[in-house]
Amino acid sequence: MLGCSPFVSSGKANPQFHGRMQAAAELYRLGKVKRLVLSGANPDSRYNEPKKMREALLELGVPTEAMVLDFAGDSTYESVTRSRVVFNLSSVTVVTQK
């Protein structure tokens, strides 16, 4: 999963974030994916995309053991590259929006 903020600059809920969480939870429930790599930025203690994704997915019923947090996915390129290099995945489904 590609990270993004759960909130837009005005402080309102980010529909992209929530859409990604819904899509990922549905893919997991349907058995289309076995694990979710939550890849995103976490530059300081106040902003942590993987942690926020984990919290949202737990609320949607995805178990902790189905999630792997990647705290170094600072860009789409890094997230995709790390899926192969760090997590040794040969096939992935990228969860994002249109």
Side-chain angles (χ1 to χ4, degrees):
M1 295 187 56
L2 301 178
C4 69
S5 176
F7 304 102
V8 295
S9 59
S10 67
K12 293 183 180 181
N14 183 347
Q16 293 177 346
F17 176 87
H18 295 285
R20 291 178 192 189
M21 299 309 109
Q22 291 288 338
E26 186 69 10
L27 288 168
Y28 179 77
R29 268 195 297 276
L30 292 173
K32 302 287 184 180
V33 297
K34 295 176 183 157
R35 294 214 185 259
L36 298 166
V37 177
L38 314 181
S39 185
N42 67 327
D44 58 46
S45 62
R46 295 170 291 158
Y47 188 82
N48 188 318
E49 291 174 351
K51 181 180 172 186
K52 291 297 184 184
M53 288 190 281
R54 180 183 62 207
E55 291 169 1
L57 289 167
L58 285 170
E59 288 181 16
L60 292 170
V62 178
T64 302
E65 58 271 11
M67 295 181 257
V68 176
L69 279 64
D70 175 17
F71 297 107
D74 294 326
S75 70
T76 298
Y77 177 81
E78 289 179 19
S79 294
V80 173
T81 299
R82 289 174 58 75
S83 70
R84 176 69 175 131
V85 175
V86 175
F87 298 104
N88 201 31
L89 300 174
S90 59
S91 175
V92 299
T93 299
V94 178
V95 179
T96 189
Q97 74 283 339
K98 290 183 182 179

